[in-house]
Amino acid sequence: MSGPGAARDFLPCRIAVLTVSDTRTPDDDRSGDTLVARLEAAGHELADRALLPDDREAIAAALRRWCADPGVDVVISTGGTGLTGRDVTVEAHRDVYEKEIDAFAIVFTHVSLGKIGTSAVQSRATAGVASGTYLFALPGSPGACRDAWDEILEPQLDYRHRPCNFVEILPRLDEHRRRK
């Protein structure tokens, strides 16, 4: 069957998870663990995982490395999106973006508003695209990671989601590089 009601097969994404923190270790990275558990439960593949300190250049370098890796479709970072002087994840992401997905921050704020009220204004969650790879920067709390995954990323990273989703345009993200 074709058309809007046609059934589609699930297409797994290869997702890298980056935790940004000066204090967490692999043993107590609850936010990273939350993302890995959710992406694997949804049928996606964990392509890589890392933990880095709040260092703008190191974060941007990791994002660029994953964007250059054909085995990574999506990068989700957690941590470093707040307002303190050490929070530089958003700036590192924006150093890498070719295009920002502005509505991601709006939708994340809307979801957060229902969960944490006006404290949602303190989040600088962001998303963008670079080198044919989706990049998402989430706050460092497990709750924020759950909310972002459950309410936004899980449906948008599911090819079966209608009327549209990130997966169906994934092959076209870097089409400008292939044009002659």
Side-chain angles (χ1 to χ4, degrees), residues 150-171:
D150 295 351
E151 304 285 336
I152 305 167
L153 295 176
E154 183 173 20
Q156 279 298 300
L157 294 176
D158 189 333
Y159 184 64
R160 302 166 296 186
H161 181 76
R162 300 296 181 119
C164 57
N165 59 75
F166 288 139
V167 179
E168 64 191 339
I169 61 171
L170 182 62

Side-chain angles (χ1 to χ4, degrees), residues 25-93:
T25 68
D27 293 332
D28 65 2
D29 178 15
R30 291 181 34 236
S31 296
D33 291 344
T34 296
L35 289 169
V36 170
R38 278 177 153 62
L39 75 87
E40 289 179 338
H44 298 291
E45 174 189 334
L46 179 63
D48 200 0
R49 184 173 177 180
L51 193 148
L52 291 174
D54 293 278
D55 178 285
R56 183 174 177 169
E57 290 75 27
I59 297 163
L63 297 175
R64 286 187 184 100
R65 179 175 50 82
W66 280 325
C67 287
D69 183 342
V72 176
D73 303 312
V74 177
V75 177
I76 305 173
S77 69
T78 175
T81 63
L83 300 172
T84 72
R86 294 290 298 152
D87 292 324
V88 295
T89 301
V90 172
E91 289 74 19
H93 270 252

Side-chain angles (χ1 to χ4, degrees), residues 116-128:
I116 61 172
T118 60
S119 294
V121 302
Q122 294 185 35
S123 173
R124 297 186 309 136
T126 186

Side-chain angles (χ1 to χ4, degrees), residues 1-8 160 162:
M1 178 195 295
S2 62
R8 297 184 188 190
R160 302 166 296 186
R162 300 296 181 119

